[in-house]
Amino acid sequence: LQQKINNLDELNKKMPKISDAYRQYGRIKSDKITIYLSDELIELTEKNNEDNLVVSNIKLRQDITDKYAYVIPNIRYSDDAELEPFQYRIDIREVPAATGLVYPSYRMLCKGQSNLTRKPSNAISGIDPIYFLDVFWLKEEDTKDFWEKGLSASQVISQHLGQLCIKHAQDLLDYKDVNKFMEIVRKENFDLAENVVPEIVAMGDLRYILASLVRERVPIKDITFIFEKIMDLYSFAVDKEILLEKLRIALKRQISYSICDSNSVINSITIEPDLEKYIKDNLIESENSASIINFSDEETELLMTNTAKIIENAKVRIENSAIITTPSIRQSLFSFYEEFIPGLTILAYEEVSNEINLEEIGTLSKKVIYKSKKKK
């Protein structure tokens, strides 16, 4: 009885704090990135595990920072009993962004790697979480003599995370990040930083521009140069969307060299005038972003399939390939392709540097789509 009385006294002492409504604000917090793991995958976060997910993600952060000057935020790891066996889920701003399946002590390979033309009988079938291609998983000991080892479970999750962080740059790159860029510019040219923000562009517009560049895999490492170009272009473009497109043209050397191969070649896919007109005729205006391409599911599938076949038949890397089109539909086309073929760049003709060679690997036309539709 005395113990219960003591507990009651302690509760009475805490009641003022518990009942204070303003103290509830301390409970409000959110994580930018959370990776949820099933029970079978928790071992990937253990320090003594050679295939360590935390280490893989640290390396991912360093690689993306070095390439794009974009810093992936801190990541929280958690278990989730509701996930299927060997499943993971990545949340962006506490909203599910993607899920996938990986297998510890196995390696993920796709057809063609290590001269494998078909799935071995002892392999686990799977789907590449980024490009949605058929893959298979082999035990690590079965790949020890392979010239190409494939990807471990942690490497697959890290690659998936990297793709999502680029795709959701608008949600992840915040005002603290913009302030860090501002500090860098101030150290190099204080007057430039003070004149650009907020005299020329608002902080919100600058955040939008930087995040949009990252989303399309344009490096923003030379941030002072970007500020200089914003200053140069301001008299020609006040609207942030127009300013962004003008800025991309000003950054054409940086954009071109981030895509081309070691021979300064970009594998190009061109859009025929009939398809371009059809795209323009099917644009829906959007208040907050570029116009949306309003194709039917069948038309979308046929266009994506034809594009993927062009790249596959040419046997080129998607990272060194781009669809070349006119500025009027470039941004809409990027948003359209982003969901289906991530990693494929969409360039306007004006964004290709004169120092880069375009090697055409195919064309997309309205006629090709309808031929495919007829065959189907």
Side-chain angles (χ1 to χ4, degrees), residues 31-42:
D31 297 293
K32 287 186 176 181
I33 302 173
T34 307
I35 299 179
Y36 292 97
L37 303 167
S38 66
D39 292 340
E40 297 81 5
L41 301 183
I42 288 296

Side-chain angles (χ1 to χ4, degrees), residues 239-254:
D239 179 82
K240 65 181 180 182
E241 296 286 355
I242 298 174
L243 179 58
L244 174 60
E245 293 304 308
K246 294 283 187 183
L247 182 60
R248 286 180 59 90
I249 295 173
L251 297 173
K252 64 181 180 180
R253 291 188 71 254
Q254 287 83 346

Side-chain angles (χ1 to χ4, degrees), residues 95-122:
V95 176
T99 62
L101 294 170
V102 294
Y103 303 94
S105 302
Y106 281 70
R107 290 273 172 168
M108 188 186 84
L109 298 103
C110 60
K111 187 174 71 174
Q113 283 187 290
S114 296
N115 296 324
L116 294 170
T117 57
R118 61 180 180 178
K119 186 190 84 169
S121 58
N122 60 336

Side-chain angles (χ1 to χ4, degrees), residues 182-195:
M182 291 284 294
E183 289 174 11
I184 294 172
V185 178
R186 284 192 186 100
K187 289 180 180 178
E188 295 189 20
N189 190 330
F190 182 84
D191 291 337
L192 175 65
E194 296 301 304
N195 285 330

